[in-house]
Amino acid sequence: EAGVAQSPRYKIIEKRQSVAFWCNPISGHATLYWYQQILGQGPKLLIQFQNNGVVDDSQLPKDRFSAERLKGVDSTLKIQPAKLEDSAVYLCASSHGTANYGYTFGSGTRLTVV
Amino acid sequence: KNQVEQSPQSLIILEGKNCTLQCNYTVSPFSNLRWYKQDTGRGPVSLTIMTFSENTKSNGRYTATLDADTKQSSLHITASQLSDSASYICVVSEGGGFKTIFGAGTRLFVKA
């Protein structure tokens, strides 16, 4: 089966600019996750969708981050305006249901804010 | 507070040697524990998954153990290869699996 697709792979922007990331999960996977992974740390959940509804966005900095999953398939994550500390890898993952079914991760988008 | 702590933070071993990575957790109620391998520039890939009743699971040269009483897990790598150089992340799912907690990972370097 095709994996989780993410784009772009790399992005460099200046602080205060905006940026958007795209994720296409595995076909049929109802649950989609966005994680932020800062260098040297484990991934931190930003937002979890079940179909097109939000299950958990408690760690999403809502003043600057937003995410949507229209039609319960593809998802976009946006940062506006970006800060230096947003430099990280943004990972998208999907699963059939809950995490008990296992995740499949995409390769991530490496964001550098200068 | 639910936490997952891994040790060591980083490890350097010679090719062909064995190594063991540790994971301690305080997640409750416990659902399952996974070990992931993350190559540089790639997303994590699942190696093993263990539920409460399982205490060992193998995947090739990788063997994971789980002691649910002491809330400890280990990942043993046998006869290491250069391609084993990666970060190994311990992930614990809580309750019905809706929440997962990631460890910070152990960075393994295998040298020729």
Side-chain angles (χ1 to χ4, degrees):
Chain A
E1 64 179 0
V4 175
Q6 289 189 247
S7 67
R9 287 283 280 126
Y10 306 94
K11 190 73 177 179
I12 300 175
I13 63 172
E14 295 182 348
K15 60 183 178 183
R16 290 186 290 273
Q17 285 187 322
S18 55
V19 64
F21 313 128
W22 174 82
C23 172
N24 185 8
I26 291 174
S27 178
H29 278 194
T31 309
L32 184 148
Y33 313 80
W34 282 102
Y35 286 87
Q36 179 193 59
Q37 186 175 25
I38 293 172
L39 186 64
Q41 299 181 18
K44 181 187 85 171
L45 179 68
L46 292 176
I47 189 166
Q48 176 182 341
F49 292 96
Q50 184 78 15
N51 296 309
N52 60 350
V54 176
V55 173
D56 184 355
D57 64 355
S58 57
Q59 298 194 83
L60 186 74
K62 298 179 184 66
D63 57 334
R64 299 184 300 106
F65 286 64
S66 64
E68 60 182 10
R69 191 184 184 196
L70 300 176
K71 301 180 182 179
V73 181
D74 294 5
S75 178
T76 56
L77 176 69
K78 297 179 181 178
I79 307 175
Q80 181 180 14
K83 294 185 176 181
L84 296 177
E85 58 262 34
D86 298 332
S87 294
V89 174
Y90 290 84
L91 293 164
C92 180
S94 70
S95 66
H96 277 291
T98 68
N100 287 337
Y101 290 90
Y103 296 138
T104 300
F105 283 88
S107 293
T109 295
R110 179 175 295 277
L111 173 67
T112 302
V113 183
V114 298
Chain B
K1 180 181 177 182
N2 287 329
Q3 289 185 313
V4 176
E5 296 186 352
Q6 292 186 243
S7 61
Q9 189 173 33
S10 62
L11 182 63
I12 302 173
I13 62 173
L14 291 176
E15 185 179 16
K17 297 296 185 182
N18 304 335
C19 67
T20 300
L21 314 180
Q22 299 291 341
C23 174
N24 296 337
Y25 63 92
T26 60
V27 178
S28 182
F30 173 86
S31 178
N32 60 66
L33 184 148
R34 303 171 190 270
W35 283 94
Y36 283 85
K37 178 186 179 187
Q38 185 174 23
D39 291 312
T40 300
R42 311 294 297 179
V45 174
S46 181
L47 294 175
T48 63
I49 174 173
M50 287 182 291
T51 57
F52 185 88
S53 59
E54 298 174 296
N55 54 25
T56 187
K57 183 83 61 91
S58 291
N59 178 359
R61 295 180 296 102
Y62 301 102
T63 299
T65 65
L66 173 65
D67 185 333
D69 291 331
T70 62
K71 298 188 176 181
Q72 296 179 326
S73 176
S74 65
L75 180 68
H76 185 74
I77 304 175
T78 304
S80 61
Q81 300 176 359
L82 297 178
S83 58
D84 293 331
S85 295
S87 289
Y88 292 84
I89 303 173
C90 176
V91 183
V92 182
S93 291
E94 173 191 60
F98 285 103
K99 282 194 178 291
T100 58
I101 297 92
F102 284 72
T106 292
R107 189 74 175 93
L108 175 65
F109 300 90
V110 180
K111 298 178 65 175

